[in-house]
């Protein structure tokens, strides 16, 4: 057994997966063999969920019942809504509210007593979680605004329905398509921290509610899921300053300040998801305010070309453009990470199911660095 220490498990292989693959040098991401570009531009989020959960893209005959089943599970219990209202009144953080909501979903689970090794039942539970998360999140935001929740729309897909429940208005095609693409882009991304957390929990054969709750908890950390919020806060700071956005960035970098949304643990070139969201940001700018698109593109050009970040293996990641895209869609900034979780839940569920097909309890070890041969002293003599 090797005694080599790999901090953060960097470079350590812990599982085999057929779900997603990342080539950080080429800037390539695939889900089950399909490029992220083809999926984002040609499929819906529901099709991608089907692909991740079932191993192939659905036919029209398969997609219809699958989408219907998701729609039928959108309602959340009155207890969940009441809790969201109380948490909103208490000014709880959205990610913490989402963590609580998913835990509560299990109280109304019709297959709560299913055998943990019944993976078909686990998938059905995962489908219910995925369908209910948008409803709970939208209700929480409505309560924060002092408004009543909006019931799910019977004719809208998951992405458009979330925007509808958030605002009470059916989104236009550009907004719905943009948000649907964003969900696809965030659905899976290898063994990131939150996915690995969900897998570790799943390896104990705990229920899928526990695994998804654990994934949400891991994603809530600022080193994992909050970068798009950081990006937007910086863009707003730039907008409110007396400096031109280029001048602001020059001054900030001269002071040693890091601009969020650049660099990635895996990618050494521009994140392929960032390229797609940049296109959507431009399209949204054509239909409305264009300053956020101008800010991001100018900052990218300045940092990558003039500051030479590309040569250093530092390029825009998905968060650099997702923040401004969500802002252009009218989504509150502190809801960005919960939306990340709403999308990534599909990937967490897929990884848990895949791992449990040939399960082995994940149990690494640590190198002990504490004292040896301590002499015990009874408490009355200490």
């Amino acid at each position: 057994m090797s005694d080599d220490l790999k901090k953060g498990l960097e470079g350590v292989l812990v599982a085999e997966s057929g779900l997603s693959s990342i080539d950080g040098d080429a800037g390539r991401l695939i889900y089950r063999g399909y490029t992220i570009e083809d999926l984002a531009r040609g499929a819906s989020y529901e099709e991608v969920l089907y692909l991740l959960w079932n191993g192939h893209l659905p036919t029209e005959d398969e997609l219809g019942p699958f989408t219907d089943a998701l729609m039928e599970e959108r309602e959340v219990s009155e207890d969940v809504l009441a809790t969201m209202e109380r948490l909103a009144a208490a000014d709880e953080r959205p990610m913490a509210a989402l963590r609580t909501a998913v835990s509560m979903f299990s109280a109304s689970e019709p297959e709560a007593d299913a055998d943990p090794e019944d993976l078909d039942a686990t998938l059905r539970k995962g489908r219910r979680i995925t369908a209910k998360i948008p409803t709970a999140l939208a209700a929480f935001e409505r309560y924060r605004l002092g408004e009543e929740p909006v019931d799910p729309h019977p004719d809208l897909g998951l992405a458009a329905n979330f925007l509808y429940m958030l605002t009470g208005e059916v989104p236009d095609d550009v907004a719905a398509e943009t948000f649907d693409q964003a969900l696809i882009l965030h659905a899976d991304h290898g063994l990131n921290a939150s996915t690995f957390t969900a897998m570790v929990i799943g390896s104990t054969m705990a229920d899928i509610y526990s695994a998804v709750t654990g994934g949400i908890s891991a994603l809530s950390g600022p080193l994992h899921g909050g970068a798009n919020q950081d990006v937007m806060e910086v863009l707003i700071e730039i907008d409110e300053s007396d400096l031109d956005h280029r001048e602001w960035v020059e001054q900030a970098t001269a002071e040693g300040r890091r601009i969020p949304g650049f660099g990635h643990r895996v990618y050494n070139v521009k994140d392929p998801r960032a390229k797609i969201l940049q296109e959507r940001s431009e399209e949204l700018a054509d239909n409305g305010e264009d300053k956020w698109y101008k800010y991001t593109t100018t900052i990218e050009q300045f940092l990558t070309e003039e500051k030479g970040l590309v040569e250093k293996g530092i390029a825009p990641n998905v968060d650099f453009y997702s923040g401004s895209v969500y802002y252009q869609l009218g989504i509150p900034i502190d809801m960005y990470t919960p939306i990340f979780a709403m999308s990534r839940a599909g990937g967490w569920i897929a990884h848990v199911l895949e791992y449990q097909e040939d399960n082995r309890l994940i149990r690494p070890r640590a190198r002990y660095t504490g004292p040896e041969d301590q002499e015990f002293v009874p408490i009355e003599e200490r």
Side-chain angles (χ1 to χ4, degrees), residues 39-325:
L39 291 173
R41 293 168 180 145
S44 65
Y45 180 61
E46 285 84 350
E47 288 176 80
V48 170
L49 282 178
Y50 191 100
L51 171 68
L52 292 174
W53 292 351
N54 294 284
H56 65 274
L57 284 170
T59 64
E60 289 184 356
D61 290 341
E62 291 170 327
L63 182 61
F66 179 78
T67 301
D68 290 344
L70 280 169
M71 288 182 173
E72 290 170 3
E73 304 286 2
R74 287 175 174 173
E75 299 286 347
V76 300
S77 70
E78 290 298 325
D79 288 341
V80 170
L81 291 176
T83 299
M84 293 299 99
E85 186 172 19
R86 287 195 296 271
L87 292 176
D91 198 27
E92 179 62 283
R93 296 161 297 156
M95 278 296 275
L98 177 60
R99 180 189 64 212
T100 300
V102 173
S103 290
M104 290 188 69
F105 291 165
S106 67
S108 57
E109 170 54 57
E111 297 182 88
D113 295 330
D115 187 328
E117 295 185 2
D118 183 348
L119 300 189
D120 289 334
T122 298
L123 178 54
R124 291 191 293 271
K125 293 176 185 179
R127 185 186 68 210
R128 294 181 187 109
I129 294 170
T130 304
K132 294 179 191 303
I133 284 177
T135 308
L137 267 182
F140 176 76
E141 175 60 20
R142 298 285 293 183
Y143 284 131
R144 288 204 300 179
L145 297 173
E147 300 175 355
E148 287 298 306
V150 175
D151 291 335
H153 196 293
D155 300 320
L156 295 178
L158 192 147
N161 180 60
F162 175 73
L163 295 178
Y164 168 74
M165 291 189 295
L166 204 64
T167 65
E169 298 180 1
V170 175
D172 62 33
D173 290 344
V174 172
E177 290 171 6
T178 298
F179 192 59
D180 191 75
Q181 275 194 337
L183 295 182
I184 291 171
L185 297 176
H186 288 89
D188 196 43
H189 206 243
L191 288 194
N192 54 80
S194 56
T195 298
F196 186 60
T197 298
M199 280 178 53
V200 170
I201 295 170
S203 79
T204 72
M205 299 309 293
D207 69 15
I208 194 67
Y209 291 94
S210 299
V212 173
T213 302
I216 292 168
S217 300
L219 189 65
S220 68
L223 295 184
H224 187 11
N228 51 11
Q229 180 175 336
D230 295 339
V231 169
M232 198 61 225
E233 289 172 349
V234 164
L235 293 177
I236 291 173
E237 184 180 343
I238 292 172
D239 188 56
E240 293 176 348
S241 76
D242 295 328
L243 298 175
D244 173 84
H245 56 284
R246 181 188 173 92
E247 295 172 337
W248 188 97
V249 174
E250 287 193 61
Q251 179 175 305
T253 54
E255 295 171 351
R257 185 170 176 181
R258 178 180 174 275
I259 307 301
F262 282 79
H264 194 277
R265 186 73 168 263
V266 178
Y267 293 111
N268 300 314
V269 295
K270 187 171 182 177
D271 188 329
R273 301 168 298 173
K275 294 178 182 179
I276 297 169
L277 285 175
Q278 183 178 11
E279 295 171 3
R280 301 308 302 201
S281 180
E282 182 177 18
E283 188 170 355
L284 289 169
D286 291 340
N287 291 334
E289 193 172 46
D290 65 355
K291 65 180 178 181
W292 307 113
Y293 175 72
K294 288 181 178 179
Y295 288 173
T296 51
T297 52
T298 302
I299 291 169
E300 177 185 349
Q301 183 179 25
F302 172 69
L303 291 178
T304 56
E305 296 180 9
E306 298 189 31
K307 290 294 183 179
L309 292 189
V310 171
E311 288 75 14
K312 300 175 183 178
I314 302 173
N317 59 45
V318 67
D319 298 306
F320 188 65
Y321 281 98
S322 65
S324 57
V325 164

